[in-house]
């Protein structure tokens, strides 16, 4: 599990994908989200604008990311 530290109240799923280095720029987020298995707190997610808050768990193709506030 990878801890992702954020300074803000939340991060969007598209921002998270870019932040962890799975895509190079934000324009790739829509394509990435529709072509990969992503769950947010155990629920399948396909919206790149989904707000992710501290203590949430996002799993992207079997890679786990726990969001924490810095």
């Amino acid at each position: 599990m990878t801890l992702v530290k954020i300074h803000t109240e939340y991060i969007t799923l598209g921002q998270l994908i870019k932040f962890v280095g799975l895509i190079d720029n934000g324009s790739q987020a829509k394509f990435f989200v529709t072509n990969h298995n992503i769950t947010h707190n155990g629920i399948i997610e396909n919206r790149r604008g989904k707000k992710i808050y501290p203590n949430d768990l996002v799993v992207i193709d079997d890679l786990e990311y726990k969001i924490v506030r810095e």
Side-chain angles (χ1 to χ4, degrees):
M1 179 181 307
T2 303
L3 294 180
V4 178
K5 297 178 182 178
I6 62 172
H7 300 285
T8 57
E9 179 182 354
Y10 65 86
I11 187 170
T12 65
L13 180 58
Q15 291 170 331
L16 174 66
I17 293 167
K18 182 179 176 193
F19 185 75
V20 299
L22 297 175
I23 58 174
D24 295 325
N25 59 58
S27 64
Q28 297 170 332
K30 184 177 181 180
F31 178 79
F32 185 92
V33 169
T34 58
N35 290 293
H36 292 269
N37 296 319
I38 302 173
T39 62
H40 171 246
N41 294 332
I43 300 171
I44 295 172
E45 188 56 65
N46 60 8
R47 298 173 290 171
R48 71 180 192 276
K50 174 67 177 170
K51 294 177 182 176
I52 312 294
Y53 293 91
N55 299 317
D56 284 356
L57 178 66
V58 177
V59 180
I60 303 171
D61 295 333
D62 299 325
L63 298 174
E64 296 182 345
Y65 299 96
K66 178 79 170 185
I67 311 306
V68 295
R69 189 179 305 263
E70 187 167 47

